[in-house]
Amino acid sequence: MSYWKSRPLGIAYQTLGWIAFISWSFSFYPLVILNYRRKSVVGVNFDFLVLNVTKHTSYLIYNAVLFFSRAVQRQYRENYGFDEAIEAIAPAV
């Protein structure tokens, strides 16, 4: 968390991020459990499933490119400066 100027703010940010991640993950379980108990997927909108997979795949690609591509990291630093959070995520060699 070296990119935060305030340690308590960095800790709060990390804590709230994990709480949001866990809450979002658990929000999908009631539908799965209900469908399993009913042995049916009545009421499940398949558009939601396709869009949800598309959303997560797109976000994975975005993060992977930002993390692994030196060219994208260089462009990011040129636009937003060298003191931004990307330095803490993937430092340049």
Side-chain angles (χ1 to χ4, degrees):
M1 290 187 294
S2 62
Y3 52 92
W4 285 95
K5 293 184 176 30
S6 167
R7 184 167 172 80
L9 184 61
I11 291 170
Y13 177 80
Q14 290 290 324
T15 303
L16 291 173
W18 277 106
I19 289 171
F21 168 75
I22 291 168
S23 299
W24 189 260
S25 297
F26 282 128
S27 72
F28 292 104
Y29 286 111
L31 180 62
V32 172
I33 293 168
L34 179 63
N35 288 341
Y36 178 76
R37 287 181 182 163
R38 287 192 291 183
K39 305 289 188 220
S40 171
V41 291
V42 172
V44 175
N45 186 344
F46 288 102
D47 290 345
F48 168 76
L49 297 175
V50 170
L51 290 174
N52 206 27
V53 168
T54 303
K55 172 186 68 169
H56 288 293
T57 303
S58 300
Y59 190 58
L60 172 70
I61 291 168
Y62 166 80
N63 282 311
V65 168
L66 190 59
F67 186 79
F68 292 112
S69 174
R70 297 292 180 204
V72 172
Q73 291 175 7
R74 182 180 40 77
Q75 291 173 2
Y76 182 90
R77 288 187 192 104
E78 288 171 359
N79 285 335
Y80 299 106
F82 289 89
D83 294 335
E84 290 301 317
I86 193 171
E87 283 291 321
I89 295 170
V93 176

